[in-house]
Amino acid sequence: MTGHAAAQRVIEDAHRARTFPAASFDVGTSGSSIWTGAIGTLTFDAAAQPARVQTPFDLASLTKVIATTSVVMELVRTGALRLDEPVSAFFADWRGADRGGVTVRDLLEHASGLPARLVDPPPATRREFEHDISTIALEYPPRSASIYSDLGFILLAFLAADRGRATLAEQFDRITAERRGGARSAPGADQRRPLRPDDVLTFDLAPDRRALAAPTRPMVGDARRGRLLVGEVHDNYAAALGGSAGHAGLFGTAPAVGAFARAILRAARGAPDLAVPFTPELVAAFTGRTTVPGSSRALGWDTMLPTSSCGTRMSREAFGHVGFTGTSLWIDPTRDRYFVLLTNRVCDGGTLEEMRTVRRAFHDALGDV
């Protein structure tokens, strides 16, 4: 069985096992997409519509690397933001000997000491989020470890909005404007398969696209429990912030995420002709592994571990990320490959561990592609 056939079998088997109702995927090189498709139906209902390549998925924490890290990268490039700036310079409530030295870099590397989430339900305003995150007890001394935190990326979006003088979504739209149909080809554009108008990568789905999105079900404790979320962000913190946040809120199709991946992959392989902020120098700086003990993190991104969701076949230079809803993106500069797998696991699907097993098998099946 060939790599493509084996990988498709992995996804089909996972769908039959009810790990997720819908999946869309895109695999390619720095120059083009080489394999794309969709499997399953939008829900497990007998009358559900089939998943399509152009189905928008809630990307969940892929937002952290695709949107937030890219916007921070651009602010660093222009000098509007420095990685070594203290978090206390942005938030008046961020005070105390335990956290005074925490920097923007620490937030990006999940090494700030912040826990994953707040103890209480999400507050209603940015100001309340700032206060609650800035005053919450740290779980460990900064840079002594790396513990994954949504809270750090919520703060990153706030400070990026302040320094960029526009919302995170507005700044991200500037970066992706050409890819969404501008006059010139966007970084990472595949001339053999130009992106279509319905290949979206956005915080704000148009009404006609929202109705076609892969549904999700709200988390336990979410006030929206009892109904499907269609084109609405799954994460309740992002929902409380109006649908756009530094840790979640982005929606996208597999080809659109693939186009983003090609831009990053080309820069990681040294291509000099890409639009900012995806320069070889900045991409190398943001995807290099942290010096935090025991951590595989980079600036926003995660890096290859044989035990992680990337499987065992990627090179040591590979980097990527996953999303709670069942999404993942991995990029391997040494092999000149990227791998996009989008699912809506959180629509009556399987556990996080079951999804992790699917991701590993999917990537390993494509090890010789």
Side-chain angles (χ1 to χ4, degrees):
M1 187 179 295
T2 66
H4 291 168
Q8 180 143 337
R9 181 68 174 270
V10 167
I11 303 173
E12 290 173 345
D13 288 349
H15 169 68
R16 280 191 288 268
R18 299 179 71 91
T19 305
F20 46 76
S24 183
F25 52 87
D26 185 58
V27 177
T29 71
S30 54
S32 67
S33 171
I34 59 177
W35 184 51
T36 189
I39 286 173
T41 53
L42 296 185
T43 71
F44 287 121
D45 294 343
Q49 292 295 309
R52 303 184 186 279
V53 171
Q54 276 72 41
T55 297
F57 285 80
D58 183 332
L59 301 182
S61 284
L62 292 191
T63 302
K64 292 182 174 76
V65 291
I66 295 176
T68 307
T69 300
S70 296
V71 168
V72 170
M73 191 183 299
E74 172 63 2
L75 292 171
V76 169
R77 184 193 69 83
T78 62
L81 181 67
R82 299 192 321 275
L83 295 176
D84 62 355
E85 286 190 78
V87 174
S88 60
F90 301 92
F91 307 110
D93 293 329
W94 189 275
R95 293 288 181 268
D98 63 335
R99 69 192 70 205
V102 172
T103 65
V104 172
R105 178 184 297 277
D106 299 332
L107 296 180
L108 285 163
E109 293 182 345
H110 297 278
S112 66
L114 285 170
R117 307 275 284 190
L118 295 170
V119 175
D120 297 320
T125 66
R126 167 181 164 163
R127 181 68 191 95
E128 291 174 287
F129 265 102
E130 283 184 19
H131 172 78
D132 290 357
I133 297 172
S134 295
T135 58
I136 196 170
L138 298 186
E139 285 197 346
Y140 59 94
R143 297 201 70 78
S144 66
S146 178
I147 296 180
Y148 189 77
S149 174
D150 285 342
L151 304 182
F153 270 75
I154 292 173
L155 290 185
L156 282 167
F158 293 161
L159 66 87
D162 292 344
R163 286 296 172 87
R165 299 185 178 183
T167 67
L168 178 76
E170 289 167 342
Q171 293 180 73
F172 181 66
D173 281 348
R174 293 173 196 161
I175 292 172
T176 60
E178 291 182 354
R179 180 158 53 247
R180 296 201 320 274
R184 293 175 292 159
S185 295
D190 180 352
Q191 299 307 318
R192 298 190 305 177
R193 185 202 178 278
L195 286 179
R196 297 163 38 160
D198 50 5
D199 287 327
V200 294
L201 192 58
T202 181
F203 284 99
D204 186 20
L205 285 172
D208 60 327
R209 301 298 297 151
R210 188 177 302 129
L212 301 176
T216 62
R217 288 201 184 274
M219 297 185 290
V220 174
D222 191 325
R224 301 172 295 172
R225 290 282 286 184
R227 65 179 178 88
L228 277 181
L229 303 177
V230 181
E232 293 181 63
V233 64
H234 177 257
D235 183 272
N236 60 338
Y237 288 17
L241 288 164
S244 172
H247 70 298
L250 199 64
F251 284 80
T253 61
V257 177
F260 171 85
R262 283 192 295 277
I264 298 290
L265 179 55
R266 289 187 64 198
R269 288 173 59 83
D273 58 342
L274 292 172
V276 295
F278 305 127
T279 65
E281 295 77 17
L282 272 175
V283 169
F286 273 70
T287 58
R289 186 174 292 189
T290 180
T291 59
V292 173
S295 175
S296 62
R297 297 287 168 185
L299 294 174
W301 296 90
D302 200 3
T303 63
M304 195 277 182
L305 284 177
T307 55
S308 79
S309 68
C310 66
T312 62
R313 304 293 301 278
M314 294 196 195
S315 75
R316 292 182 59 188
E317 288 70 37
F319 53 92
H321 212 280
V322 301
F324 183 80
T325 51
T327 58
S328 62
L329 166 62
W330 278 90
I331 298 170
D332 191 338
T334 299
R335 291 171 55 197
D336 190 23
R337 292 291 185 273
Y338 68 83
F339 308 88
V340 176
L341 177 59
L342 308 182
T343 82
N344 58 337
R345 177 193 70 83
V346 291
C347 187
D348 305 318
T351 65
L352 286 169
E353 186 57 33
E354 289 168 341
M355 190 68 227
R356 180 175 176 274
T357 298
V358 172
R359 290 175 178 132
R360 289 175 57 79
F362 175 76
H363 294 131
D364 282 350
L366 294 166
D368 295 321
V369 172

